[in-house]
Amino acid sequence: MDKLKRKRHNISRHNSQNILTMTQSNGRLNSSESEPLLGHSGSSEQHLWEHSNPLVRYPALTAHKTMQVLASNPVNILLLFVPAGIITGAVGANPTAVFVLNFLAIIPLASLLSFATEELAAKLGQTIGGLLNATFGNAVELIVSIIALTQGQIRIVQSSMLGSILSNILLVLGCCFIAGGVTHSEQSFNTTVASTMSSLMAVASASLIIPATLYAALSSSRSSSEDEILVLSHGTAIILLILYMLYLFFQLKSHAHLFDDGQQQEGGENQQEPEILNPPAAGVALVVITILVAVCADYLVDSIDSIVEKSGISKTFIGLVLIPIVGNAAEHVTACVVAYKDKMDLAIGVAIGSSMQIALFVTPFLVILGWIIGQPMTLHFQTFETVVFFLSVLVVNYLIQDGKSNYLEGSMCLGTYIIIALAFFVYPDDAGRTVLGG
């Protein structure tokens, strides 16, 4: 009897172990079978932009791309100032607050404008990309200047153009040489490309010297200096625009091999950073950002007169130092980063190339636009500004003619820019007024 009980107990325990083993194996099986289903379910919830329903897919895709763009640059945190600047400008708040908020708002907008331009240019080829960079690379200064020109503030327009050139060839180039000199005792770059750009800058400086010289010669003449300067400026602007178009053809078509090294480096840089926006999305982003820049720039320009009256800061200093630094903030960072990575051809292209676009494209375009809308915008800058521009171009030509750079040369550029900024800080608006009353 005892043996029978022990036998039943052993059978029962054996069956229990078998059931437990089967349960565990079934549990593992069910778990392994259910995990892919759960993973797939989670994946579909995370990727709503791949949903079959367009009403779900497009809003989710827009939100996803927007977050990617915003996360691409830490400076985009300053976008919080965009609605603040627009609201304060719309309600007519304190002019100082309007100026400061819109000043800060334009910084991230300039960065996003540069980002969208690069995304679009990467897909549309070199020729269209070059035209886009020419159009949108200095879009902030162009928009601010157009708004100021329509309001008749020619001093703001002229000083903004000159300030953009000086900030690029002295401030940006100096920072590039210093950034590269931190990790390299000496860096080299394509002397042919640099000398071509600097030669065009010399031509641009001559286009400012000649009107100033003509005005001095006409000061004792009975003829109308205003009419003569306008005629000279309109003709010179047309010639400068033709030279810029020839330069684009030279760079992108007939002598593209001279720029191959810089383009190859740029291509390598783009491969490291995958594209976020496709051409339609980048085009929409350009339109939206340009509209926001125009609105903020409008409020910024409207508040300048009050800032000048209350703070005592001259219009020349605001246009020559403050606005260019904001408008070129994205280019400043880009140039310094690529110089630090020992890609000096790219850095030179950003710094001097942007200055050349202002001198040969944007400024002549504004002269022609002023001609069309009836504003007396000319190439006759004040004598002091013309001399400063010529000396700056001369200094930069001497520094880049050997095709090498180091931190000492960068310090020279930076020191020259600080001296010029200090000079314009104490330079009054009523000193050496132009014949056209800028």
Side-chain angles (χ1 to χ4, degrees), residues 245-265:
M245 297 304 171
L246 289 175
Y247 169 73
L248 284 182
F249 183 79
F250 179 87
Q251 178 188 15
L252 302 174
K253 189 70 176 177
S254 65
H255 290 69
H257 60 279
L258 298 176
F259 300 83
D260 282 345
D261 293 338
Q263 291 173 356
Q264 290 173 2
Q265 290 181 1

Side-chain angles (χ1 to χ4, degrees), residues 10 40 85 110 114 155 165 209 255 260 267 285 306 319 333 370 389 398 414:
N10 292 334
H40 177 73
S114 175
R155 285 299 304 131
I165 296 172
I209 294 174
H255 290 69
D260 282 345
S306 298
V333 175
F389 180 36
Y398 274 122
L414 197 57

Side-chain angles (χ1 to χ4, degrees), residues 166-233:
L166 295 178
S167 68
N168 277 292
I169 64 175
L170 293 177
L171 178 61
V172 179
L173 192 63
C175 290
C176 288
F177 287 171
I178 293 175
V182 170
T183 54
H184 303 83
S185 61
E186 189 175 72
Q187 294 176 293
S188 59
F189 47 86
N190 191 327
T191 55
T192 304
V193 174
S195 63
T196 301
M197 292 182 176
S198 60
S199 299
L200 287 170
M201 288 300 298
V203 173
S205 65
S207 70
L208 299 187
I209 294 174
I210 293 174
T213 307
L214 177 64
Y215 174 64
L218 292 175
S219 60
S220 58
S221 175
R222 294 181 180 179
S223 62
S224 174
S225 299
E226 179 177 343
D227 294 338
E228 303 296 339
I229 295 296
L230 276 173
V231 172
L232 175 62
S233 297

Side-chain angles (χ1 to χ4, degrees), residues 296-377:
C296 293
D298 189 21
Y299 291 130
L300 181 73
V301 173
D302 286 340
S303 64
I304 286 178
D305 287 334
S306 298
I307 292 294
V308 170
E309 293 176 2
K310 293 183 178 180
S311 65
I313 300 176
S314 66
K315 287 184 179 180
T316 304
F317 182 78
I318 292 175
L320 193 138
V321 177
L322 298 183
I323 293 178
I325 288 178
V326 173
N328 294 324
E331 294 174 349
H332 292 188
V333 175
T334 300
C336 291
V337 169
V338 297
Y340 182 80
K341 296 178 179 179
D342 198 23
K343 298 180 179 181
M344 288 306 297
D345 286 326
L346 278 175
I348 294 291
V350 171
I352 300 182
S354 181
S355 298
M356 193 178 58
Q357 289 172 4
I358 291 287
L360 298 180
F361 174 72
V362 179
T363 303
F365 170 78
L366 291 171
V367 172
I368 301 299
L369 179 62
W371 188 8
I372 294 172
I373 65 177
Q375 291 289 349
M377 171 67 185

Side-chain angles (χ1 to χ4, degrees), residues 69-200:
V69 172
L70 295 178
S72 64
N73 195 331
V75 78
N76 290 333
I77 190 67
L78 295 178
L79 287 170
L80 295 173
F81 291 103
V82 174
I86 294 176
I87 292 173
T88 54
V91 301
N94 183 283
T96 303
V98 174
F99 181 86
V100 172
L101 290 176
N102 285 283
F103 183 87
L104 295 173
I106 290 178
I107 296 176
L109 290 176
S111 175
L112 288 176
L113 201 61
S114 175
F115 173 83
T117 303
E118 292 173 359
E119 293 284 299
L120 189 58
K123 287 287 187 179
L124 300 182
Q126 294 179 0
T127 303
I128 299 179
L131 293 175
L132 285 173
N133 287 327
T135 304
F136 291 100
N138 297 292
V140 173
E141 296 94 327
L142 182 60
I143 293 171
V144 172
S145 298
I146 290 175
I147 293 173
L149 183 62
T150 57
Q151 297 179 4
Q153 300 205 41
I154 297 176
R155 285 299 304 131
I156 292 293
V157 178
Q158 290 182 330
S159 58
S160 176
M161 293 299 96
L162 181 62
S164 297
I165 296 172
L166 295 178
S167 68
N168 277 292
I169 64 175
L170 293 177
L171 178 61
V172 179
L173 192 63
C175 290
C176 288
F177 287 171
I178 293 175
V182 170
T183 54
H184 303 83
S185 61
E186 189 175 72
Q187 294 176 293
S188 59
F189 47 86
N190 191 327
T191 55
T192 304
V193 174
S195 63
T196 301
M197 292 182 176
S198 60
S199 299
L200 287 170

Side-chain angles (χ1 to χ4, degrees), residues 30-110:
N30 292 337
S31 175
S32 62
E33 289 177 351
S34 62
E35 283 175 359
L37 295 176
L38 292 174
H40 177 73
S41 177
S43 175
S44 63
E45 291 179 358
Q46 293 176 359
H47 298 84
L48 292 177
W49 53 87
E50 298 176 354
H51 201 279
S52 59
N53 189 346
L55 297 178
V56 177
R57 181 171 69 251
Y58 289 118
L61 181 61
T62 302
H64 174 65
K65 293 296 182 182
T66 301
M67 292 303 298
Q68 282 186 307
V69 172
L70 295 178
S72 64
N73 195 331
V75 78
N76 290 333
I77 190 67
L78 295 178
L79 287 170
L80 295 173
F81 291 103
V82 174
I86 294 176
I87 292 173
T88 54
V91 301
N94 183 283
T96 303
V98 174
F99 181 86
V100 172
L101 290 176
N102 285 283
F103 183 87
L104 295 173
I106 290 178
I107 296 176
L109 290 176

